[in-house]
Amino acid sequence: MAITNSPAMIVAVALAALFMFSVASVTASDGPFILAHKKVSLTKLSSSTERVSVSIDIYNRGSKTAYDVTLEDSSWDQEIFYFVTGNTSKSWEKLDVGSVVSHSFELESRVKTTYYGAPALITYHVASKPKLQIAYSTPIIPLAILSEKVVESKLVLAKSLWGKYGSHVCVVTIVVLFANAIATPSKLSGKKRH
């Protein structure tokens, strides 16, 4: 039997794939759906010390409660960072449907570097499954620890803005001038009418 690439066959295969994907997504959503967002902010305390504030929000967007929820964020190198407040792990008995929990801690660093942190690990149990479930937080952008903040000159900023929005400004100006020319009668045409 030869396989043909007729449009009807392609549509049938696409519909079958779409049906399988929708069945898989409905089956997968029958339980907790854990989302975690990791946020980091830097505060320079002195020329040789910078504080790193970390906050992790964990959401349950699924249809069932997650039990024995554990957060572990062990991506912070102890040679670069030392703890000020809090710790990198936290546990909750359960995370109900539609709820959110948060955990935060602070570190300090005296090492000038660019640091690439990994996502935090979240583990939890589902009542219907004996196997431990795993989720990860969002990653963080690279942190420039103790870097000098470069202040852009006004000319460089103006060039950057003109490069991004210059064509838009030109089009809007042309449209405004055209609308103004149409809306206001010219002086020459006014003299001819008299």
Side-chain angles (χ1 to χ4, degrees):
M1 182 171 147
I3 297 174
T4 61
N5 287 335
S6 69
M9 182 63 136
I10 293 171
V11 169
V13 169
L15 286 175
L18 182 62
F19 176 75
M20 292 206 161
F21 176 76
S22 64
V23 168
S25 65
V26 167
T27 304
S29 68
D30 188 27
F33 184 68
I34 302 297
L35 298 172
H37 181 61
K38 183 177 179 179
K39 299 174 280 194
V40 176
S41 63
L42 297 174
T43 306
K44 190 170 257 189
L45 301 177
S46 68
S47 62
S48 63
T49 306
E50 194 152 16
R51 179 161 293 175
V52 180
S53 300
V54 182
S55 174
I56 303 169
D57 298 326
I58 303 172
Y59 305 88
N60 182 356
R61 295 294 183 233
S63 60
K64 292 188 179 175
T65 300
Y67 295 96
D68 302 323
V69 179
T70 303
L71 165 70
E72 183 66 41
D73 188 12
S74 58
S75 65
W76 303 99
D77 189 352
Q78 293 179 356
E79 294 179 5
I80 299 174
F81 301 99
Y82 61 93
F83 284 91
V84 177
T85 59
N87 56 31
T88 60
S89 62
K90 176 81 174 170
S91 296
W92 297 270
E93 184 179 327
K94 66 179 182 173
L95 185 57
D96 292 324
V97 175
S99 62
V100 60
V101 292
S102 297
H103 179 64
S104 58
F105 54 92
E106 291 186 340
L107 310 116
E108 283 186 7
S109 179
R110 291 194 172 115
V111 178
K112 183 176 181 176
T113 185
T114 300
Y115 190 74
Y116 300 88
L121 173 69
I122 297 99
T123 58
Y124 59 97
H125 286 285
V126 180
S128 62
K129 297 178 184 177
K131 187 177 176 184
L132 189 66
Q133 306 296 309
I134 297 175
Y136 294 96
S137 73
T138 55
I140 59 172
I141 60 170
L143 300 175
I145 307 292
L146 293 174
S147 67
E148 297 299 322
K149 309 296 187 239
V150 179
V151 179
E152 292 186 52
S153 70
K154 291 181 181 179
L155 181 60
V156 171
L157 182 61
K159 285 181 182 178
S160 171
L161 289 174
W162 183 256
K164 282 184 179 178
Y165 305 111
S167 59
H168 300 298
V169 171
C170 289
V171 169
V172 169
T173 304
I174 290 171
V175 169
V176 167
L177 290 174
F178 180 74
N180 190 27
I182 296 295
T184 58
S186 69
K187 293 179 183 178
L188 185 59
S189 65
K191 289 180 180 177
K192 288 181 179 178
R193 291 179 185 166
H194 292 302

